[in-house]
Amino acid sequence: MAQSTRRLMMGAAGASGEKTYIDNVFSTYVYKGNNGSQTITNGIDNSEGGLLWTKARTVGESHTLFDTVRASNKAIYTNLAERDETRNFNLNFLSNGFSWNTSDGMVNNASHTYAAWNFRKKEGFFDIVTWTGNGSAPRSISHNLGSVPGLIMVKCTSSNSTDWMVWHRDFDAKDYITLNSTSAKGTNESKFGGQVSGSAKPTSTTFALGASNDVNGNGNTYIAYLFAGGASSAATARSVDFIGG
């Protein structure tokens, strides 16, 4: 993308105060499968860590998520309650995109086209956190997003029949939605919040969980994808709030 059209990502400057452009940390890309080796050059430096989210556009396959924390051939599906699955994707995360060497219909069959969304780990934009459950509540999980999350997606990666738990900045501390379900928003301290009363919303350094198997079952492993977008707690933050008719 030409320099003149690059979009500055507000609130994501590093310690040195350098400007961060959304083009450097996020890409949406459409490609045609080829049944073999294919490199997608999207300008995202995945050596810094990141998430790849793909979806077939011309066939009924699942939304499929990969990341740089788990093994590269491990996929999780947003519509299923199952643990992550290992398949022969031959995925490589690159310093300027990613590559496949597969004919798997999820990501690279020659008969289909695909969409790919690539998020780079970056303070003030996106973070990935993993933990092993201990069955206790409340459970505080640290993160390195560097800002208050606007969205948190949690999935158990070691046990089947565990739902995707999602918290959004417009929710109360104990609210959640289930990504792999059409159910309405729920409220349950065993998911988010993690205590009977006084639960705080996620902060710029931690978020709280309960003891549910969906988020903190004893001995299970979990992954969370954290996206920025929550209210800024910085003294220098500037905004206005208009109330009334």
Side-chain angles (χ1 to χ4, degrees), residues 63-84:
H63 285 259
T64 307
L65 277 64
F66 308 88
D67 58 69
T68 54
V69 174
R70 297 173 301 131
S72 62
N73 279 333
K74 285 187 175 292
I76 356 179
Y77 310 115
T78 62
N79 59 312
L80 300 177
E82 278 70 30
R83 57 165 294 166
D84 57 13

Side-chain angles (χ1 to χ4, degrees), residues 28-240:
T28 179
Y29 200 100
V30 175
Y31 65 96
K32 178 77 166 58
N34 70 357
N35 279 349
S37 179
Q38 178 163 199
T39 298
I40 304 299
T41 302
N42 61 15
I44 302 301
D45 186 359
N46 285 298
S47 66
E48 301 289 332
L51 167 68
L52 178 62
W53 185 324
T54 68
K55 178 67 178 77
R57 304 172 72 220
T58 49
V59 66
E61 298 282 7
S62 300
H63 285 259
T64 307
L65 277 64
F66 308 88
D67 58 69
T68 54
V69 174
R70 297 173 301 131
S72 62
N73 279 333
K74 285 187 175 292
I76 356 179
Y77 310 115
T78 62
N79 59 312
L80 300 177
E82 278 70 30
R83 57 165 294 166
D84 57 13
E85 178 186 33
T86 301
R87 291 168 65 150
N88 192 29
F89 295 108
N90 291 314
L91 167 64
N92 287 299
F93 285 99
L94 308 174
S95 61
N96 62 349
F98 60 94
S99 67
W100 311 104
N101 189 0
T102 183
S103 60
D104 194 298
M106 287 282 186
V107 297
N108 197 35
N109 187 279
S111 300
H112 305 297
T113 59
Y114 300 85
W117 299 272
N118 195 175
F119 301 82
R120 176 186 146 192
K121 282 186 68 175
K122 174 69 176 178
E123 184 177 342
F125 179 65
F126 176 70
D127 192 25
I128 303 173
V129 179
T130 60
W131 64 93
T132 299
N134 62 12
S136 68
R139 174 81 184 274
S140 180
I141 302 295
S142 298
H143 66 81
N144 294 309
L145 188 61
S147 63
V148 178
L151 182 73
I152 303 174
M153 301 167 53
V154 176
K155 184 67 182 73
C156 179
T157 57
S158 61
S159 178
N160 292 327
S161 302
T162 53
D163 291 321
W164 281 89
M165 293 288 102
V166 180
W167 181 86
H168 186 271
R169 68 178 184 180
D170 290 334
F171 291 174
D172 289 332
K174 302 173 188 176
D175 292 347
Y176 69 94
I177 55 173
T178 307
L179 187 60
N180 54 295
S181 167
T182 58
S183 300
K185 181 182 70 174
T187 300
N188 191 326
E189 65 194 15
S190 73
K191 313 293 187 179
F192 292 103
Q195 58 192 63
V196 174
S197 62
S199 296
K201 290 186 177 183
T203 72
S204 59
T205 56
T206 64
F207 58 96
L209 301 174
S212 166
N213 282 337
D214 290 326
V215 297
N216 191 31
N218 190 38
N220 286 330
T221 57
Y222 297 86
I223 192 162
Y225 303 117
L226 288 82
F227 301 83
S232 174
S233 58
T236 55
R238 295 177 174 86
S239 64
V240 293

